[in-house]
C-alpha cells in the first residue's frame, strides 16, 4: 500500500511521524453501459442546457447561483485562493469517551502507521487510549479540505476516522416519529428478552456481501450459457399490525429459542 498522507500526529508536545493509509477497499461489481446494437461502450458529454450543444472543458467556468439566472463566477486562480494549504500535522484537540461519539458522525476509516523514529510514542498513545477507553479528537487538512477526525486503537493499529461536522447532519424535526409512551411494560420486557437472546459477539468474518456473491454467480452462468436468467419477483414483507405486536413478540421469542435451544436464555414472566 502507498500512503495517501504523511506528516505528524501531535500529542501534547510530542510529534509522532505517521503515514495514513485507506483502511477500506471497494469490492462492488461495476457493470458497463453498452449500446445494445453494437456493444459499444457509452460515453458522456457535458451538454449546455440552454442551447443543447456539447461544451468543451476550456469553455466551462464555476459559478454559484445567487438569484434566478444570476451567478457569481470564479476563475481558476480565485478558486485556488480558497483552497486550504496542505497540513503536515494531525492536531489532537482533546480526548473524549468513545461512547459519546455517535456513529452518524463517522465518515471514512484510515490506518495510521508510525514512521521510523516514531514507534515508541505511537505505541504509548495506542496503549493509553486502549487502557482508558478514550479516543483522540483531532483536526487536519487533506486534499484541500479541513477534516475533523476521531482516533482510536484497533488491536495493534490506530485507526483514524474522518468525521462529519455537526452542520452536515440533517435535523430529524421534519420526520414523523412515534412516541414511546404507547408501549406497555410487557411489550418492552419481551422485546428486551428477544434482544438478550439474540445478542452475540461480533465477528466480521461471518458476514459477506451477498449481493456481490449473487452477481458473480449470475455472471458465471451468463458467460457459460448465454441464456436469459429466470427471475422471480420478491414479495414485500407485510407490515406488522400494532394489535398483533404482543403475539408476534412471544412467537419470536419461542421460535428463536427452538433454533438456539442449547444456549441459556433470559426468562421473562408475562401474565
Amino acid at each position: 500500500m502507498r500512503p495517501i498522507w504523511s506528516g505528524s500526529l501531535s500529542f501534547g508536545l510530542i510529534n509522532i511521524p505517521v503515514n495514513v493509509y485507506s483502511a477500506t477497499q471497494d469490492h462492488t461489481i461495476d457493470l458497463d453501459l453498452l449500446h445494445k446494437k453494437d456493444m459499444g461502450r457509452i460515453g458522456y458529454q457535458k451538454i449546455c442546457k440552454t442551447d443543447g450543444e456539447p461544451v468543451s472543458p476550456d469553455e466551462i467556468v464555476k459559478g454559484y447561483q445567487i438569484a434566478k439566472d444570476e451567478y457569481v463566477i470564479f476563475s481558476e486562480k480565485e478558486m485556488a485562493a480558497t483552497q486550504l494549504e496542505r497540513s503536515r500535522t494531525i492536531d489532537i484537540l482533546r480526548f473524549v469517551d468513545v461512547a459519546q461519539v455517535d456513529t452518524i458522525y463517522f465518515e471514512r476509516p484510515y490506518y495510521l502507521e508510525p514512521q521510523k523514529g516514531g514507534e515508541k510514542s505511537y505505541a504509548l498513545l495506542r496503549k493509553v487510549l486502549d487502557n482508558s477507553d478514550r479516543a483522540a479528537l483531532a483536526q487536519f487538512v487533506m486534499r484541500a479540505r479541513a477534516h475533523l477526525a476521531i482516533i482510536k486503537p484497533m488491536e495493534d493499529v490506530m485507526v483514524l476516522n474522518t468525521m462529519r461536522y455537526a452542520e452536515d447532519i440533517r435535523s430529524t424535526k421534519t420526520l414523523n416519529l412515534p412516541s414511546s409512551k404507547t408501549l406497555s411494560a410487557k411489550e418492552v420486557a419481551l422485546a428486551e428478552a428477544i434482544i438478550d437472546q439474540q445478542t452475540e459477539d461480533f465477528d466480521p468474518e461471518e458476514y459477506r456481501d451477498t449481493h456481490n456473491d449473487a452477481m458473480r454467480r449470475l455472471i458465471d452462468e451468463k458467460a457459460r450459457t448465454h441464456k436469459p436468467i429466470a427471475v422471480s419477483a420478491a414479495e414485500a414483507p407485510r407490515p406488522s399490525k400494532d394489535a398483533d405486536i404482543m403475539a408476534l413478540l412471544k412467537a419470536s421469542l419461542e421460535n428463536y429459542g427452538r433454533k438456539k435451544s442449547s444456549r441459556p436464555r433470559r426468562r421473562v414472566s408475562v401474565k
Side-chain angles (χ1 to χ4, degrees):
M1 289 192 296
R2 293 183 60 185
I4 62 171
W5 189 96
S6 295
S8 292
L9 174 61
S10 175
F11 167 41
L13 296 178
I14 300 171
N15 289 314
I16 308 171
V18 293
N19 293 322
V20 177
Y21 299 87
S22 177
T24 60
Q25 53 189 355
D26 190 3
H27 285 98
T28 303
I29 294 176
D30 292 322
L31 301 180
D32 293 326
L33 297 180
L34 306 171
H35 188 188
K36 187 176 181 179
K37 181 176 68 175
D38 55 15
M39 292 297 108
R41 295 183 65 175
I42 303 300
Y44 292 93
Q45 290 182 314
K46 291 182 170 65
I47 305 295
C48 176
K49 292 185 178 181
T50 300
D51 59 21
E53 294 296 323
V55 181
S56 62
D58 61 332
E59 295 180 290
I60 297 174
V61 295
K62 293 182 178 179
Y64 182 83
Q65 187 172 13
I66 57 175
K68 185 178 180 180
D69 298 328
E70 187 177 352
Y71 294 84
V72 174
I73 304 300
F74 290 90
S75 68
E76 290 299 326
K77 288 184 178 181
E78 289 171 328
M79 287 297 299
T82 67
Q83 301 299 311
L84 296 171
E85 289 187 9
R86 184 175 182 272
S87 171
R88 299 293 299 175
T89 307
I90 300 172
D91 294 311
I92 293 178
L93 307 176
R94 60 178 55 89
F95 296 91
V96 297
D97 290 336
V98 173
Q100 289 185 339
V101 185
D102 198 288
T103 55
I104 195 171
Y105 292 100
F106 289 1
E107 194 171 43
R108 187 168 184 176
Y110 296 88
Y111 293 142
L112 296 181
E113 173 197 62
Q115 296 178 22
K116 187 175 181 179
E119 294 89 350
K120 186 172 183 177
S121 50
Y122 179 98
L124 175 63
L125 179 58
R126 182 188 62 198
K127 179 68 173 176
V128 295
L129 289 177
D130 193 32
N131 286 352
S132 63
D133 200 24
R134 290 183 182 144
L137 190 67
Q139 200 164 33
F140 71 113
V141 176
M142 181 173 68
R143 294 170 181 166
R145 180 186 169 194
H147 292 273
L148 189 65
I150 198 86
I151 301 169
K152 56 181 291 189
M154 186 185 75
E155 298 178 351
D156 292 335
V157 69
M158 282 199 289
V159 177
L160 178 150
N161 259 289
T162 53
M163 298 175 66
R164 299 175 180 91
Y165 289 95
E167 63 193 62
D168 298 329
I169 307 300
R170 289 180 173 175
S171 171
T172 61
K173 292 180 180 179
T174 59
L175 302 179
N176 183 20
L177 303 174
S179 169
S180 298
K181 295 179 180 179
T182 59
L183 302 174
S184 70
K186 293 179 181 179
E187 290 169 339
V188 172
L190 274 174
E192 287 177 345
I194 292 171
I195 291 175
D196 284 348
Q197 190 182 55
Q198 298 185 24
T199 297
E200 303 177 19
D201 291 335
F202 173 62
D203 180 3
E205 297 296 330
E206 290 184 20
Y207 306 95
R208 288 186 57 86
D209 187 336
T210 55
H211 177 264
N212 263 11
D213 291 343
M215 280 297 300
R216 289 190 181 96
R217 289 194 296 271
L218 291 178
I219 290 169
D220 291 342
E221 183 179 344
K222 289 280 286 184
R224 186 180 70 255
T225 65
H226 300 284
K227 294 180 180 178
I229 296 171
V231 178
S232 56
E235 184 177 345
R238 296 179 180 178
S240 301
K241 296 179 181 179
D242 288 351
D244 299 334
I245 290 296
M246 278 295 290
L248 292 171
L249 286 169
K250 290 179 181 179
S252 298
L253 195 62
E254 293 171 3
N255 185 54
Y256 195 83
R258 285 193 294 269
K259 291 180 180 178
K260 303 289 183 181
S261 56
S262 61
R263 298 183 182 182
R265 76 179 191 183
R266 176 181 171 184
R267 293 184 177 275
V268 177
S269 176
V270 180
K271 297 180 181 179

